[in-house]
Amino acid sequence: MSNRNIEAAFNYHEQTKHSYQSVRTDPHYLDFPNQPIPFKTYSELEPIQLPRQWENTEITALSAISPLPITINDERIPNLNDLARLLYFSAGVVKQRSYPGGQILFRAASCTGALYQVELYVVCSALPDLPAGVYHFSPKDFALYRLREGNYRTVVAHASGEEPSLMRAPVVVICTGTYWRNAWKYRARTYRHFGWDNGTILANLLAVGFALQLPTRLILGFVDDEVNRLLDLDIDREVALSMVSLGRTARQTAELPTEVYPLGLDALPPSEVEVDYPAMRVMHSATCLVSASEATLWRGQTPDQTPPVPEGPVWKLDPRTETAADSIEEAVRRRGSSRRFENKPISFQEFSTMLYCSAQGIPADFLEPFGVSLNHWYIIVHAVEDLPAGAYVLHRHNWELELLKEGNFRSKSGYLGLGQELPADASANVFFLADLTSILERFGNRGYRAVQLEAGILGGKIYLAAYAHRLGATGLTFYDDDVIEFFSPHAQGKSTIFLLALGHGQKRKLLS
Ligand SMILES: Cc1cc2nc3c(=O)[nH]c(=O)nc-3n(C[C@H](O)[C@H](O)[C@H](O)COP(=O)(O)O)c2cc1C
């Protein structure tokens, strides 16, 4: 199916909506004995241990989350230590907790249901202390496993239609999603979760990249088959979702494309039985690009998403990125989705700073010029000092919040967030909404991948900004159409993409 046949994305989105009715009549139950292992394990390869001794970087977490892109003309080649840090603070195991049924190894970035279906791979040229190759990152033993030896940068650059940052990147991190590992709980909705859960990882990766002063860029325009083949993926189970270029070489990659042979490596099956939900594979294949020229044309020209001029009262945000001194490493180490919120207010400055940090630009090939966004910030405020409780929309170009309707919407928030207590008790709920029509018209079905991924990154940035303020946050799911109805008429024609609640988190309880 072609990327241009955008009925595919509309259909998938429609089919996977939650409503009060659909959730209550759903017979699905969790088959715990068949729960997938949250790690990909290659049985025949030897681990290359990654170093674990780092000083914290000096740039504060808040600056690292909301930077301008680094433009340097010099060479900037990360070493193994840098790579280890980038991988640890974006997808490493940072905490472990025991509970009656076993143990959860929590990662550096939140993931729906703690199922951790996103894997990271590294494609690099020779680094000071790591030979050129294609590697899989294994968070379980904090090691790399070499899948291929040699310089395969050209393959990635070719797949992207010679995207400029990839032509000079000594390191490329490729993120994949393994369907069953999330579909065990969420079934066909997993394709949305691929975007969210890949996004939270990318929020961390981009922030750590900035803290290490490495030029970074998120690339979504690439020929899927070429990248999947490079990683030797079984595409019925696992697919490449996104990639990030890291660092800069003095010269562009120039070697001819390397021959990519199948590896036939065995990875342990995640469960005894896997259930197939074809809708997510159909959706993915409809987002695929098939030629380098298609990838080149796919980049840039982001459709304008500026909201209409405010008609209601406005409040100017008052962000203070200098107030929280934590490094990005400290913020990540303190992380953990809030399982309960204390019903008390956050300050206007904290709130402003979290929104400001999330709404700064992301260096990405589908967000041009730098600073534009596919998603809109619609917010229900319950308890923010000096701000009336009510529903708002953010105007990012001048950092103003427009009041859409005033009132106490705690119980409405609880309902919209799938009838959970978390959104009712939070100080505020940020709903990411998007105009799918203009996005899909410009980017085809792959625009759906982009908009979900961007929402995950924006949510991930709010998570990080909340930790830096010693506050809490959690991703949440929602009744799609009821959210749009609540924010209408302003939100008419938009779709609900993601929800994030924030506030004073209470001491963590275990399972969600
Ligand atoms: C995109 C996303 C959606 C989530 N949805 C819910 C939810 O609806 N209800 C809930 O209690 N927790 C939700 N969570 C929280 C996860 O359950 C939590 O991230 C997971 O258990 C891992 O814990 P950690 O975030 O502390 O690492 C969500 C998290 C993310 C990232």
Side-chain angles (χ1 to χ4, degrees):
M1 187 182 297
S2 147
N3 181 47
R4 299 303 332 167
N5 178 6
I6 60 174
E7 282 307 300
F10 282 120
N11 287 343
Y12 172 82
H13 190 70
E14 201 57 41
Q15 279 167 26
T16 54
K17 280 181 175 174
H18 279 324
S19 69
Y20 183 82
Q21 194 65 15
S22 72
V23 168
R24 261 147 205 84
T25 53
D26 184 357
H28 184 60
Y29 69 96
L30 294 180
D31 179 5
F32 282 104
N34 196 41
Q35 179 168 358
I37 300 162
F39 296 102
K40 182 170 188 180
T41 310
Y42 289 97
S43 37
E44 306 146 42
L45 301 177
E46 290 300 316
I48 303 165
Q49 286 305 323
L50 287 164
R52 275 182 184 271
Q53 309 296 324
W54 319 283
E55 302 286 308
N56 290 342
T57 42
E58 281 167 17
I59 292 166
T60 67
L62 292 180
S63 318
I65 308 161
S66 53
L68 289 172
I70 301 172
T71 43
I72 56 165
N73 296 322
D74 302 336
E75 202 161 74
R76 179 72 180 88
I77 312 270
N79 59 24
L80 191 61
N81 213 35
D82 294 332
L83 193 56
R85 252 208 270 218
L86 286 156
L87 295 169
Y88 181 78
F89 288 104
S90 45
V93 173
V94 295
K95 247 182 232 182
Q96 71 187 60
R97 296 261 163 95
S98 299
Y99 69 104
Q103 205 179 42
I104 301 187
L105 302 178
F106 289 97
R107 307 281 179 96
S110 287
C111 176
T112 45
L115 292 165
Y116 304 116
Q117 73 281 7
V118 175
E119 297 286 331
L120 302 188
Y121 296 79
V122 174
V123 179
C124 61
S125 47
L127 305 183
D129 36 13
L130 185 72
V134 179
Y135 299 86
H136 171 250
F137 170 55
S138 167
K140 190 171 57 176
D141 48 355
F142 198 52
L144 292 175
Y145 286 77
R146 182 154 57 230
L147 309 183
R148 296 183 194 274
E149 207 171 329
N151 194 344
Y152 285 84
R153 273 173 57 195
T154 332
V155 176
V156 179
H158 180 266
S160 72
E162 304 196 343
E163 192 282 330
S165 75
L166 286 173
M167 293 294 285
R168 286 183 181 271
V171 174
V172 182
V173 171
I174 303 178
C175 308
T176 69
T178 306
Y179 296 112
W180 169 244
R181 291 204 345 228
N182 195 262
W184 168 75
K185 182 168 181 184
Y186 299 103
R187 294 168 293 161
R189 230 175 121 91
T190 284
Y191 201 71
R192 297 188 186 208
H193 295 195
F194 273 2
W196 302 351
D197 297 329
N198 189 180
T200 57
I201 290 175
L202 289 170
N204 289 24
L205 187 66
L206 295 170
V208 179
F210 181 81
L212 292 170
Q213 290 293 287
L214 287 167
T216 50
R217 188 164 180 80
L218 169 61
I219 311 295
L220 222 57
F222 57 85
V223 181
D224 296 81
D225 265 359
E226 292 181 15
V227 175
N228 290 334
R229 210 173 316 126
L230 180 65
L231 304 181
D232 200 47
L233 303 181
D234 170 357
I235 58 166
D236 285 335
R237 297 198 161 78
E238 182 184 0
V239 286
L241 300 172
S242 66
M243 55 175 79
V244 175
S245 59
L246 289 158
R248 191 175 192 280
T249 52
R251 284 187 307 146
Q252 295 199 353
T253 176
E255 306 101 81
L256 291 171
T258 318
E259 195 83 45
V260 177
Y261 297 103
L263 295 172
L265 291 170
D266 278 336
L268 297 180
S271 295
E272 225 158 86
V273 183
E274 293 185 25
V275 182
D276 187 21
Y277 298 99
M280 55 191 179
R281 282 188 296 102
V282 171
M283 178 61 215
H284 181 72
S285 93
T287 68
C288 288
L289 303 182
V290 294
S291 69
S293 56
E294 195 183 6
T296 309
L297 290 173
W298 188 82
R299 292 196 280 276
Q301 298 169 54
T302 311
D304 181 29
Q305 303 293 334
T306 315
V309 177
E311 289 179 0
V314 293
W315 276 258
K316 191 98 183 156
L317 293 185
D318 183 17
R320 303 289 171 91
T321 50
E322 69 288 355
T323 47
D326 277 0
S327 65
I328 185 72
E329 292 90 345
E330 287 166 316
V332 172
R333 281 207 172 94
R334 196 168 326 103
R335 67 159 311 282
S337 293
S338 300
R339 302 292 76 203
R340 203 169 260 264
F341 287 111
E342 283 178 38
N343 200 327
K344 69 180 198 193
I346 57 174
S347 75
F348 186 64
Q349 273 181 13
E350 289 165 337
F351 180 62
S352 297
T353 310
M354 285 187 272
L355 292 183
Y356 176 83
C357 287
S358 77
Q360 294 292 329
I362 299 167
D365 64 347
F366 58 92
L367 297 172
E368 287 286 351
F370 179 78
V372 296
S373 166
L374 300 179
N375 281 276
H376 296 260
W377 285 245
Y378 282 80
I379 304 156
I380 302 183
V381 170
H382 301 147
V384 175
E385 286 163 6
D386 308 319
L387 192 63
Y392 292 83
V393 63
L394 176 66
H395 294 263
R396 302 169 59 228
H397 60 285
N398 54 4
W399 303 111
E400 281 178 353
L401 278 173
E402 176 187 358
L403 180 65
L404 300 177
K405 52 186 167 186
E406 194 170 341
N408 177 344
F409 295 115
R410 279 193 188 275
S411 79
K412 188 72 187 180
S413 292
Y415 169 78
L416 294 176
L418 233 61
Q420 303 180 76
E421 284 175 15
L422 283 160
D425 293 338
S427 299
N429 293 295
V430 183
F431 294 82
F432 293 103
L433 269 51
D435 170 14
L436 281 186
T437 306
S438 67
I439 294 166
L440 299 182
E441 276 172 0
R442 163 64 192 99
F443 289 122
N445 293 313
R446 207 177 185 84
Y448 192 73
R449 223 198 268 189
V451 74
Q452 298 286 1
L453 188 71
E454 188 203 51
I457 298 173
L458 303 174
K461 287 182 178 212
I462 298 184
Y463 261 122
L464 292 170
Y467 302 137
H469 283 105
R470 316 218 164 199
L471 293 169
T474 185
L476 288 168
T477 194
F478 42 82
Y479 294 135
D480 289 78
D481 290 343
D482 293 331
V483 172
I484 300 302
E485 194 186 314
F486 174 77
F487 286 107
S488 285
H490 200 280
Q492 234 149 32
K494 298 198 172 62
S495 299
T496 316
I497 305 297
F498 184 44
L499 162 59
L500 197 112
L502 53 97
H504 287 275
Q506 270 184 6
K507 205 169 166 335
R508 190 182 173 92
K509 278 196 174 175
L510 279 182
L511 296 171
S512 56

